Amino acid sequence: MPAHFFRRSFAKLLEATEQPFAQPVRDLAVSQMVFGRTVLVGEAAFVLRPHTAAAAAKAAADGMMLGLALRDGNDNLAENLRRFETPQMQMGLHLRDYGVRVGNRSQFRVDNPGQREVDGRAVKLIGRYGTLRNDRVIP
Ligand SMILES: Cc1cc2nc3c(=O)[nH]c(=O)nc-3n(C[C@H](O)[C@H](O)[C@H](O)COP(=O)(O)OP(=O)(O)OC[C@H]3O[C@@H](n4cnc5c(N)ncnc54)[C@H](O)[C@@H]3O)c2cc1C
């Protein structure tokens, strides 16, 4: 399907929306998941961008890996938690970086000559309803 199809569709969708709003997407990544006997899992540790389509699976994996590390570990809790933390941190950071990379490519890539035109059109459409402030369209 040609790219301009999506652009026109998106413009029509926006025009047909009575009260458009923007949903901010923010990145969150902790630098450690284990704090003594306290462990951060799922979105308490990493908020991944939606297009990674991996957030729920990552949250579940954190829980499963924590369970396995505790079940199969030894008497040293700190060591068991370290064995859980190292690969889960790597996976979380990898998915965070992947989300940022894919987002940047689709939003800001310079090899797409139509992108500037599309962005301009979106700004004009939003301008018809008001200004964009604090992620909301203010009339
Ligand atoms: C609109 C939307 C769409 C999404 N779509 C997708 C998708 O398509 N694919 C995907 O992979 N991910 C998706 N996600 C992300 C996904 O939902 C989360 O990554 C995932 O649910 C995180 O799991 P979690 O267990 O860390 O947190 P949550 O699922 O948020 O669970 C946290 C739980 O803790 C409870 N809680 C909070 N505070 C307390 C407290 N003080 N005491 C007791 N309980 C408490 C909450 O009620 C909640 O039940 C989406 C998220 C949103 C918001």
Side-chain angles (χ1 to χ4, degrees), residues 1-17 114-115 117-119 121-122 125 128-129:
M1 207 170 281
H4 64 77
F5 173 85
F6 294 103
R7 291 171 195 155
R8 204 174 299 134
S9 307
F10 183 75
K12 276 187 182 163
L13 194 64
L14 192 54
E15 272 180 322
T17 305
Q115 190 64 44
E117 185 207 331
V118 175
D119 290 347
R121 204 184 305 161
L125 279 166
R128 264 186 228 167
Y129 297 97

Side-chain angles (χ1 to χ4, degrees), residues 4 9 14 24-25 39 46 49 55 59 62 72 77 79 81 101 109 114 122 124 127 130 139:
H4 64 77
S9 307
L14 192 54
V25 175
V39 180
F46 293 92
R49 295 196 185 187
D62 284 348
D72 301 338
L77 179 66
E79 195 180 306
L81 292 179
R101 224 169 37 243
R109 67 181 175 190
K124 265 188 216 154

